[in-house]
Amino acid sequence: GAGTGLLRAVRAISDGHTWFLLVDDDHNYHPELLVNLLRFAAGTPGAAVAAHGWLALPMGHSSKHAVELAGPGLARNLRLWDTETGPVLCHFLGILVQRSMLDGLMSPPPHSACNEHNDIWLSANLAEQRIRRAILADPLGARALPSHRKRRGLSLSQTRRRRPEEHCARELLVTHGEALWRPFPRVALCTANTTKALQI
């Protein structure tokens, strides 16, 4: 899977400037996928970026209202859960992440509920490092292979049952606390007598 391949790539490559493109093996991708994600990354410096992802908002009237205001285009990137989670980047449409963002990356413990949810544990690792995750919300021309569409109905039921994503989210809440997914403000102070900025 994408998680196993990423862990191997992290061990093999140490240059922090290297970009990793995570994709799936059951999709056709647009020839300009990498170029488009690099352009998106250039506009969001310091962020890991993805063509698709999602954000789980806590159940409540204000969250439901936010989903309604988002409209059909963005609403598919929003979920209503009892556990606040995300933004979570989804590799099946392409994730672009730099090697320097993956220092200390570790796979979940053997019996973790997150073992079957690479997107969530990768995004949690990025969140723990206070690395922003940016979502383009555009498939960028990706299409599922016909073989994937035929077996999709069975992949999560008869042939391979996965624990729901919410189980992974609840586990991360216990192991990392409520602050894991919360925005981390960054402030730059510039004094009048120097060109250097101090980052807090």
Side-chain angles (χ1 to χ4, degrees):
T4 303
L6 181 61
L7 288 167
R8 290 176 178 171
V10 167
R11 289 194 292 267
I13 298 173
S14 59
D15 182 359
H17 295 94
T18 303
W19 287 98
F20 295 156
L21 176 62
L22 281 68
V23 293
D24 220 332
D25 62 359
D26 49 21
H27 279 69
N28 278 322
Y29 296 94
H30 192 280
E32 298 294 315
L33 172 65
L34 178 58
V35 172
N36 289 327
L37 287 178
L38 282 170
R39 286 174 177 162
F40 183 39
T44 52
V49 301
H52 178 67
W54 53 268
L55 174 68
L57 303 174
M59 295 291 290
H61 176 73
S62 59
S63 295
K64 290 181 180 178
H65 187 55
V67 173
E68 292 171 358
L69 290 176
L74 290 177
R76 61 186 177 185
N77 300 100
L78 299 175
R79 304 179 181 186
L80 295 177
W81 283 5
D82 60 356
T83 306
E84 193 173 344
T85 307
V88 171
L89 308 180
C90 295
H91 76 274
F92 78 96
L93 292 183
I95 294 176
L96 191 65
V97 61
Q98 211 161 14
R99 172 62 181 82
S100 59
M101 302 174 182
L102 303 173
D103 289 338
L105 181 68
M106 296 178 61
S107 60
H111 301 292
S112 168
C114 295
N115 268 321
E116 299 170 331
H117 301 292
N118 292 325
D119 296 335
I120 301 180
W121 71 254
L122 172 58
S123 296
N125 271 277
L126 295 171
E128 190 175 23
Q129 300 298 322
R130 297 305 179 190
I131 295 171
R132 183 183 170 206
R133 285 92 56 219
I135 299 166
L136 189 56
D138 189 322
L140 297 177
R143 294 179 180 273
L145 295 174
S147 57
H148 173 66
R149 290 195 293 268
K150 288 178 182 178
R151 71 173 187 268
R152 189 175 181 181
L154 298 177
S155 62
L156 302 186
S157 55
Q158 296 179 19
T159 60
R160 188 164 73 90
R161 288 188 179 273
R162 296 197 307 175
R163 281 177 285 185
E165 293 169 316
E166 291 95 327
H167 292 189
C168 174
R170 294 187 191 110
E171 179 180 306
L172 290 170
L173 178 65
V174 172
T175 57
H176 291 74
E178 295 182 352
L180 173 64
W181 300 109
R182 290 179 182 169
F184 186 73
R186 303 175 72 179
V187 179
L189 298 179
C190 298
T191 63
N193 59 354
T194 180
T195 59
K196 294 183 178 180
L198 301 176
Q199 192 178 79
I200 299 179

